[in-house]
């Protein structure tokens, strides 16, 4: 039995045992903690510290070499009055909308086709996933050649059909269509594979019961498949939103591949200027790192709000079923 004096002072009692457990657990599992420590060290050095430093930088004016000057929220006030930032944000939303909606619909169709494919199913799955692991730079250069106004394949086909060639990389709207096409081509297969995994997890008894009740293919799709895939669809919408709002490589390669200081970066009239591309130009071309950090945090807040809105819309529809 514990002695009264030891119990009164806490030594040897239950409280002392609770405090001693973490120390004993640390000594017991230190090889496991040591084995996973490189990840946390790298994450701290290359992710956490830069993120916190960018927040600190957003309240300063700094050209990367001289002394930092604390300016308070002035960078954010300038951002609210910056017409080019709002134009870049508008371009980003339009490109996201033009790429994501057709891409997710096409991915759902492809997933249904793959789910019903009997022969060469494995080959088709790999073939649809290959664009996602292909270099974005290589894909963008290829699409830039295909949509070239004077020598592109698309205009050659249009001329073969006696139609007028389209200035794909000159017009404000066709520039967005080209960028959306590149994003859609790259991510359709990825989303199709995710939808396919969701389709294969739906119990076949649901389809059989619906067929007994007289449901046709269209009713099966909208009354069984879509509701069961709703969490998967929400995931793909959220991921597509995050990726779409960070569009950078496609317009940068299409219009500013030769020099980071290319004045035409973003295309004629800035039609392809996205929010992240604008951040890159301000931070690394104009050497205004404080303003660039403010842009980055503003885009982060927009992505957070946009994702929350998508989440609420999907959750509300789910509760309404």
């Amino acid at each position: 039995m514990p002695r009264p004096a030891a119990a009164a002072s806490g030594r040897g009692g239950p409280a002392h045992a609770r405090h001693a457990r973490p120390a004993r657990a640390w000594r017991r599992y230190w090889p496991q903690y040591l084995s996973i420590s490189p990840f946390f060290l790298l994450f701290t050095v290359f992710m956490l510290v830069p993120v916190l430093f960018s927040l600190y930088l957003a309240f300063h004016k700094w050209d990367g070499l001289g002394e930092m000057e604390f300016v308070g929220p002035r960078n954010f006030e300038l951002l609210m009055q910056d017409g080019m930032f709002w134009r870049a944000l508008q371009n980003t939303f339009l490109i996201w909308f033009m790429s994501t909606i057709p891409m997710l619909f096409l991915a759902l169709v492809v997933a249904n086709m793959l789910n019903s494919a009997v022969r060469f199913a494995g080959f088709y799955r790999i073939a649809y996933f290959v664009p996602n692991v292909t270099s974005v730079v290589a894909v963008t250069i290829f699409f830039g050649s295909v949509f070239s106004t004077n020598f592109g394949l698309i205009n050659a086909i249009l001329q073969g059909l006696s139609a007028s060639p389209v200035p794909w990389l000159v017009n404000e709207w066709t520039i967005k269509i080209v960028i959306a096409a590149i994003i859609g081509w790259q991510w359709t297969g990825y989303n199709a594979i995710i939808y396919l995994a969701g389709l294969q997890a739906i119990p076949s008894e649901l389809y059989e019961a619906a067929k007994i009740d007289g449901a046709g293919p269209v009713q099966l799709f909208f009354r069984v498949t879509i509701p069961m895939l709703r969490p998967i669809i929400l995931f793909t919408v959220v991921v597509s939103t995050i990726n779409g709002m960070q569009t950078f490589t496609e317009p940068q390669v299409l219009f500013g591949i030769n020099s980071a200081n290319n004045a035409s970066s973003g295309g004629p009239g800035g039609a392809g200027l996205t929010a992240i591309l604008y951040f890159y130009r301000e931070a690394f071309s104009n050497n205004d790192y404080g303003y660039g950090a403010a842009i980055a945090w503003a885009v982060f807040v927009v992505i957070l709000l946009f994702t929350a809105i998508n989440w609420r819309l999907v959750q509300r529809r789910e509760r309404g079923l």
Side-chain angles (χ1 to χ4, degrees), residues 148-202:
S148 172
T149 301
N150 296 324
F151 310 103
L153 176 63
I154 301 297
N155 276 345
I157 294 174
L158 290 176
Q159 288 175 334
L161 297 173
S162 302
S164 301
V166 178
W168 295 102
L169 300 178
V170 177
N171 181 271
E172 178 183 359
W173 286 100
T174 53
I175 285 174
K176 295 180 176 63
I177 291 174
V178 171
I179 296 174
I182 297 172
I183 297 173
W185 186 84
Q186 190 179 18
W187 288 96
T188 298
Y190 170 84
N191 289 299
I193 297 300
I194 293 178
Y195 287 151
L196 178 63
L199 287 172
Q200 292 177 342
I202 299 176

Side-chain angles (χ1 to χ4, degrees), residues 89 92-93 240-247 276 299 302-303 306:
L89 206 58
T92 307
F93 273 115
S240 300
T241 301
I242 295 172
N243 289 332
M245 295 300 292
Q246 299 181 76
T247 301
I276 298 299
V299 172
V302 169
I303 292 175
F306 203 42

Side-chain angles (χ1 to χ4, degrees), residues 98-122:
M98 294 167 73
S99 62
T100 301
I101 304 301
M103 174 181 67
L104 295 183
F105 177 76
L106 188 58
L108 200 54
V109 173
V110 170
N112 274 281
M113 293 170 60
L114 289 175
N115 195 37
S116 58
V118 179
R119 302 181 63 183
F120 308 115

Side-chain angles (χ1 to χ4, degrees), residues 41-213:
L41 288 174
L42 293 175
F43 174 79
T44 302
V45 173
F46 294 105
M47 296 291 290
L48 184 60
V49 171
V51 167
L52 296 178
F53 181 68
S54 70
L55 182 61
Y56 173 78
L57 202 56
F59 295 92
H60 290 75
K61 183 175 179 60
W62 190 43
D63 61 0
L65 294 175
E67 293 185 1
M68 291 186 182
E69 177 188 352
F70 180 74
V71 295
R74 194 174 72 185
N75 285 330
F76 292 99
E77 293 171 358
L78 292 175
L79 194 63
M80 293 299 103
Q81 303 168 6
D82 188 350
M84 187 60 74
F85 169 72
W86 293 108
R87 179 177 174 80
L89 206 58
Q90 180 186 12
N91 290 338
T92 307
F93 273 115
L94 288 173
I95 292 170
W96 171 85
F97 184 81
M98 294 167 73
S99 62
T100 301
I101 304 301
M103 174 181 67
L104 295 183
F105 177 76
L106 188 58
L108 200 54
V109 173
V110 170
N112 274 281
M113 293 170 60
L114 289 175
N115 195 37
S116 58
V118 179
R119 302 181 63 183
F120 308 115
F123 169 77
Y124 290 134
R125 292 172 189 173
I126 295 173
Y128 279 109
F129 196 74
V130 163
N132 189 250
V133 296
T134 305
S135 167
V136 183
V137 175
V139 171
T140 305
I141 292 173
F142 172 75
F143 270 79
S145 302
V146 169
F147 284 98
S148 172
T149 301
N150 296 324
F151 310 103
L153 176 63
I154 301 297
N155 276 345
I157 294 174
L158 290 176
Q159 288 175 334
L161 297 173
S162 302
S164 301
V166 178
W168 295 102
L169 300 178
V170 177
N171 181 271
E172 178 183 359
W173 286 100
T174 53
I175 285 174
K176 295 180 176 63
I177 291 174
V178 171
I179 296 174
I182 297 172
I183 297 173
W185 186 84
Q186 190 179 18
W187 288 96
T188 298
Y190 170 84
N191 289 299
I193 297 300
I194 293 178
Y195 287 151
L196 178 63
L199 287 172
Q200 292 177 342
I202 299 176
S204 59
E205 291 82 3
L206 292 178
Y207 290 106
E208 294 170 1
K211 288 178 182 176
I212 292 173
D213 291 339

